[in-house]
Amino acid sequence: MSRHFSGTAVPYLPPCPPCPCTPGLLTTTIYQYTTFSDGQKNVYTDADAAPQLSTSGILGQQSVSIVNLFINGILQPPNSYVVQNGLLVLSEVPSQGVPIILQFIQIH
């Protein structure tokens, strides 16, 4: 079976089945640690935070659901850094002045 629009046959597609029910929205809490690279080190601690841009220190991965690292606004692959409570270790030293942002997401 097909339908015609402006002389062109369009195949008939049955309507999509209804989407499965979801249990509702998940509640989350998001924290952010921000610092700026000095161009020399690859290890950062809570003491290096820019307090006006941070909502937390460096949280350990065991206390959050998701950790994202952005260097100069670019999401970094998880194998390029290590996060522990109060400590961030980068595999490379970012350029001086580059923002380093850790995003922590807790899913409740």
Side-chain angles (χ1 to χ4, degrees):
M1 174 187 219
S2 63
R3 296 181 182 170
H4 293 275
F5 294 99
S6 302
T8 305
V10 177
Y12 172 76
L13 298 174
C16 294
C19 295
C21 293
T22 57
L25 296 177
L26 299 175
T27 304
T28 61
T29 305
I30 301 174
Y31 302 96
Q32 179 174 307
Y33 165 88
T34 303
T35 189
F36 294 90
S37 174
D38 64 1
Q40 297 178 16
K41 65 183 179 181
N42 69 326
V43 177
Y44 293 87
T45 67
D46 289 344
D48 297 309
Q52 68 277 18
L53 301 173
S54 299
T55 60
S56 75
I58 300 171
L59 304 176
Q61 290 184 321
Q62 69 281 359
S63 64
V64 296
S65 306
I66 300 169
V67 176
N68 292 314
L69 173 65
F70 299 87
I71 298 179
N72 205 19
I74 306 295
L75 179 62
Q76 302 299 302
N79 64 350
S80 67
Y81 61 95
V82 174
V83 174
Q84 297 175 353
N85 196 31
L87 184 70
L88 168 64
V89 180
L90 305 174
S91 61
E92 296 182 13
V93 175
S95 300
Q96 184 176 3
V98 166
I100 300 169
I101 300 171
L102 274 170
Q103 178 187 59
F104 305 99
I105 303 171
Q106 286 180 332
I107 300 174
H108 308 283

